[in-house]
Amino acid sequence: MAGQQFQYDDSGNTFFYFLTSFVGLIVIPATYYLWPRDQNAEQLRLKSLRRVHGRCLWYRLRLMKSQQSIIPTLKKAALLFGWAVFLLLAYKVSKLDREYQEYNPYEVLNLDSGATLSEIKKQYHALSLKHHPDRGGDETTFMRIAKAYSALTNEQSRLNWEQYGNPDGPVATSFGIALPAWIVDQKNSMLVLLVYGLAFMVILPVVVGTWWYRSIRYSGDQILINTTQLFMHFMYKTPNMNMKRLTMVLTAAFEFDPRSNKEATIRPTDNVEVPQLIRELGNINVKKKEPPFCYPYSLKARVLLLAHLARMDVSEELEEDQRFVVRKSPALLQEMINVGCQLTMMANNRGGFHAPRLVTIENCMKLTQMTVQGLQESKSPLLQLPHFEEEHLRYCISKKYKVRTLQDLVSLKDSDRRSMLRFLGEEKYDEVMAVLGSFPHLTMETKLQVLDDEDSHNITAGSIVTVTVTLSRKRMADMFEKEQDSASCQGEEAANTEEAQGDANKSKTKVWQNKSKGAKKAAKSKKKKLTKKKATPAPAKTKQANGSVTGNELTNPSTTAAPAGKEEDDDASDKGSESDEGEGNKDSHSERDEDSDKQSDTEVDEMAGDDEEEWEALQQSIQRRERALLETKSKVTHPVYSLYFPEEKQEWWWLYIADRRDQTLVSMPYHVCTLKDTEEVELKFPAPSKTGNYQYSVILRSDSYLGLDQIKPLKLEVHEAKAMLDNHPQWDIPDTEEEDEEQEDSDGIEESDDEDEDD
């Protein structure tokens, strides 16, 4: 009886299947994730950015890194070696497949299937003469030929082959274990056990433990948990935090401590170079003994960050440390904003402590802009442009131009702008205009509503208000084109008006001038008569039946006879017209009723159309929200122009609603990281519990540029909430079926009584 048989692979053939699968599982995903991206595409992208970003620090570092790095070459070599091993193993396995083909005696005898018995005997005789061991042939081959001949000539062997695929009948099913036999050999048992213990009892626990220990130290945004707790402590302790205090808290982060982060370093030369920078910077609260601000790592990070904001030169040894501090700062400031939002929500829900003030969170945003651009808070935003220095600002802020912001510079005429920037050559001026044209220009539209409510535009106390903000981004270069187009249109209009005025002046004659003089004299004489009439006492006025106001009769009867007759005729005509109108009104009552019916029908249709439009708009908004939840947008938007930031940064924004009078957040800041052309953001907040008018502000802040923030007022009129109906008919539901039957019986009795009374 056939059975099952398990055995290790003595020949090593089965092991190749396992090895091929294992290598394939490593090489294929590694190639997808680790293969260096197209260097030519990256070079072309950098080449396209050269005209605008050529002077940026991150651009120069990227070019140097791409030229000096050999890591892509090593990755390619390792992956190509892995693919070579994988293909070699696959080729080996493809050759092994032939050893496990189904047994076919016709193929062994080199005959076609269905050959006759005489042909089989003839072929066997020829092959046996050739491969017989006594004639110098191979014994194994001869045994295979004899077995095939027996399978085709012996009736029992032929039946076994047809039924079981083997002339000898059913055999035990053999399962090969894809491990070589030498692994379980008695001689190699200690070595195999040692390798097994080393792999699964030492290496694997160490790798998993290291990963776990590192992962529990960091948050989801790759910020140390200790740093988050530090920020929470100081923001709770100091709700109103100025810029100097904020800088101290930022640089006390544990990311800058070598004991918590291996990327941070403390050099022996710091004892000499850091005090020198402190003397150049001035007052930076060095004597403050409050931990951790007094620790060496915190002091060094603070000095390097302030030197970056002041655009001071540092030594080559400190330059690498400064780039590390500056590169880490935006993410840490974003964590501070998140901590401030968490504390604000806790204060609103629980109470018991003061939430961080609005100025604290906005200072975090301002410090992010300052860090990216390498500017101090009091400096002009024009210094973000290339070739602009402090001494050049006097040309801009002069009384003639009064340019203090980037928007002022854009709004200037091209001729005035070129005249103001005359200290720049042609190449530098073109570069400044190219950089300024790449800056973003955003427009913001807001829509206020209460979703999932019958009257979405009626804001009641305690309702959830949704402010839908639509952001549209364009380049400053588009504003240049608009200014030029408007200037050309204005010039054409001015030229047309000048020509028209010239033609009119030519067509004027002296006769027309005399007429105008005569008209002026007549007007003067009329004014004199009016003044004389005003000097006489004003007569009493009476209101007649037709509503006109007339004066009393004067003493001269001849002058009053004609007007009196005219008034009587007018009264008669008015009475006649009124009678005619009355008859017409009597005849037109039915027409008015028809018109009113038509108007009511049209109003109903309009209301139904409005309801359908509102329903479609609601469905579209729901679908849009569902798509936004499922869709993952890329955070690669537009590269930021930053002269002193060591890393390529994308252009992101903060959007939030605030009460600037009370210095509080109304909605939490939303970090807009996917704005390329247009973006729609929903900000939700609970309406105030008291009725009245409220004045909020929708604020848009850049996390990369200074002077591009926008503030839009938001007026909120809060009404009283509608009272809930306790005895609504839809809630009058009978509790049991018996009550339903009793109610039906009572209705039937009442109907029968009514019929009797009618009879």
Side-chain angles (χ1 to χ4, degrees), residues 217-448:
R217 293 172 59 237
Y218 287 87
S219 64
D221 297 328
Q222 295 302 308
I223 303 295
L224 287 170
I225 300 294
N226 293 335
T227 300
T228 304
Q229 294 174 351
L230 176 75
F231 291 163
M232 187 167 290
H233 168 74
F234 282 105
M235 294 194 82
Y236 173 78
K237 184 180 178 181
T238 315
N240 194 0
M241 198 178 295
N242 58 15
M243 195 65 73
K244 184 177 290 187
R245 177 78 173 180
L246 183 63
T247 306
M248 295 173 66
V249 174
L250 170 64
T251 53
F254 288 95
E255 272 76 4
F256 305 133
D257 189 358
R259 295 171 297 180
S260 302
N261 189 2
K262 294 181 180 180
E263 296 181 24
T265 55
I266 295 292
R267 306 177 188 276
T269 57
D270 293 344
N271 296 327
V272 178
E273 296 179 349
V274 173
Q276 183 178 356
L277 283 176
I278 292 173
R279 288 192 295 270
E280 294 178 4
L281 288 170
N283 184 20
I284 60 169
N285 294 334
V286 179
K287 297 181 180 180
K288 198 171 186 64
K289 300 302 180 183
E290 181 182 4
F293 306 138
C294 59
Y295 294 162
Y297 82 88
S298 176
L299 183 61
K300 177 183 177 181
R302 193 190 325 158
V303 169
L304 293 177
L305 181 61
L306 292 176
H308 168 72
L309 298 180
R311 295 187 175 183
M312 293 174 56
D313 295 330
V314 296
S315 63
E316 294 182 359
E317 296 178 351
L318 287 179
E319 189 174 8
E320 184 178 354
D321 299 340
Q322 186 185 44
R323 291 173 183 171
F324 169 73
V325 172
V326 172
R327 190 167 56 248
K328 284 284 185 182
S329 294
L332 294 173
L333 287 166
Q334 178 61 38
E335 184 67 16
M336 292 184 74
I337 294 172
N338 295 338
V339 168
C341 295
Q342 293 174 11
L343 291 175
T344 302
M345 294 173 65
M346 291 170 61
N348 294 337
N349 295 333
R350 302 179 186 177
F353 61 91
H354 295 289
R357 303 288 289 173
L358 179 62
V359 66
T360 301
I361 296 175
E362 289 185 339
N363 281 339
C364 293
M365 299 177 183
K366 290 179 184 177
L367 187 56
T368 306
Q369 301 171 356
M370 293 159 54
T371 304
V372 173
Q373 294 297 332
L375 280 176
Q376 295 175 342
E377 185 180 12
S378 59
K379 298 300 182 180
S380 172
L382 296 175
L383 295 176
Q384 299 173 102
L385 299 172
H387 311 298
F388 267 77
E389 301 295 340
E390 288 284 349
E391 60 270 15
H392 298 150
L393 295 178
R394 58 189 179 89
Y395 299 105
C396 302
I397 62 176
S398 61
K399 294 182 179 179
K400 182 178 180 181
Y401 302 109
K402 296 181 181 179
V403 174
R404 299 183 180 274
T405 63
L406 297 172
Q407 291 83 354
D408 295 341
L409 185 59
V410 171
S411 61
L412 277 181
K413 293 182 180 178
D414 190 34
S415 57
D416 294 340
R417 191 186 304 115
R418 188 66 190 94
S419 175
M420 184 185 71
L421 301 179
R422 58 185 178 275
F423 57 88
L424 299 174
E426 288 297 331
E427 293 183 0
K428 292 183 178 181
Y429 177 78
D430 293 340
E431 183 180 352
V432 169
M433 289 297 101
V435 171
L436 184 61
S438 68
F439 278 31
H441 175 75
L442 265 66
T443 56
M444 181 170 53
E445 297 179 359
T446 59
K447 182 181 179 182
L448 190 67

Side-chain angles (χ1 to χ4, degrees), residues 104-292:
N104 189 352
Y106 288 104
E107 290 185 359
V108 177
L109 295 176
N110 297 326
L111 291 172
D112 296 331
S113 59
T116 61
L117 183 61
S118 60
E119 292 176 350
I120 294 172
K121 290 181 178 180
K122 184 179 180 180
Q123 183 68 14
Y124 171 70
H125 182 69
L127 292 175
S128 62
L129 291 175
K130 182 178 179 181
H131 297 286
H132 198 280
D134 295 341
R135 295 178 178 271
D138 186 15
E139 184 178 359
T140 305
T141 305
F142 181 77
M143 293 297 295
R144 292 177 63 245
I145 294 171
K147 185 177 179 180
Y149 177 74
S150 175
L152 295 176
T153 56
N154 190 348
E155 190 66 26
Q156 186 63 36
S157 299
R158 189 181 184 89
L159 290 175
N160 289 336
W161 173 65
E162 290 177 353
Q163 292 181 4
Y164 306 107
N166 192 348
D168 299 331
V171 295
T173 305
S174 177
F175 294 93
I177 300 176
L179 290 176
W182 60 265
I183 291 181
V184 293
D185 193 357
Q186 185 76 21
K187 299 177 182 179
N188 303 327
S189 59
M190 292 301 297
L191 179 62
V192 172
L193 188 62
L194 180 63
V195 173
Y196 181 85
L198 185 65
F200 291 97
M201 300 180 66
V202 178
I203 297 177
L204 185 62
V206 168
V207 171
V208 174
T210 304
W211 169 80
W212 177 251
Y213 176 72
R214 185 184 181 280
S215 62
I216 62 174
R217 293 172 59 237
Y218 287 87
S219 64
D221 297 328
Q222 295 302 308
I223 303 295
L224 287 170
I225 300 294
N226 293 335
T227 300
T228 304
Q229 294 174 351
L230 176 75
F231 291 163
M232 187 167 290
H233 168 74
F234 282 105
M235 294 194 82
Y236 173 78
K237 184 180 178 181
T238 315
N240 194 0
M241 198 178 295
N242 58 15
M243 195 65 73
K244 184 177 290 187
R245 177 78 173 180
L246 183 63
T247 306
M248 295 173 66
V249 174
L250 170 64
T251 53
F254 288 95
E255 272 76 4
F256 305 133
D257 189 358
R259 295 171 297 180
S260 302
N261 189 2
K262 294 181 180 180
E263 296 181 24
T265 55
I266 295 292
R267 306 177 188 276
T269 57
D270 293 344
N271 296 327
V272 178
E273 296 179 349
V274 173
Q276 183 178 356
L277 283 176
I278 292 173
R279 288 192 295 270
E280 294 178 4
L281 288 170
N283 184 20
I284 60 169
N285 294 334
V286 179
K287 297 181 180 180
K288 198 171 186 64
K289 300 302 180 183
E290 181 182 4

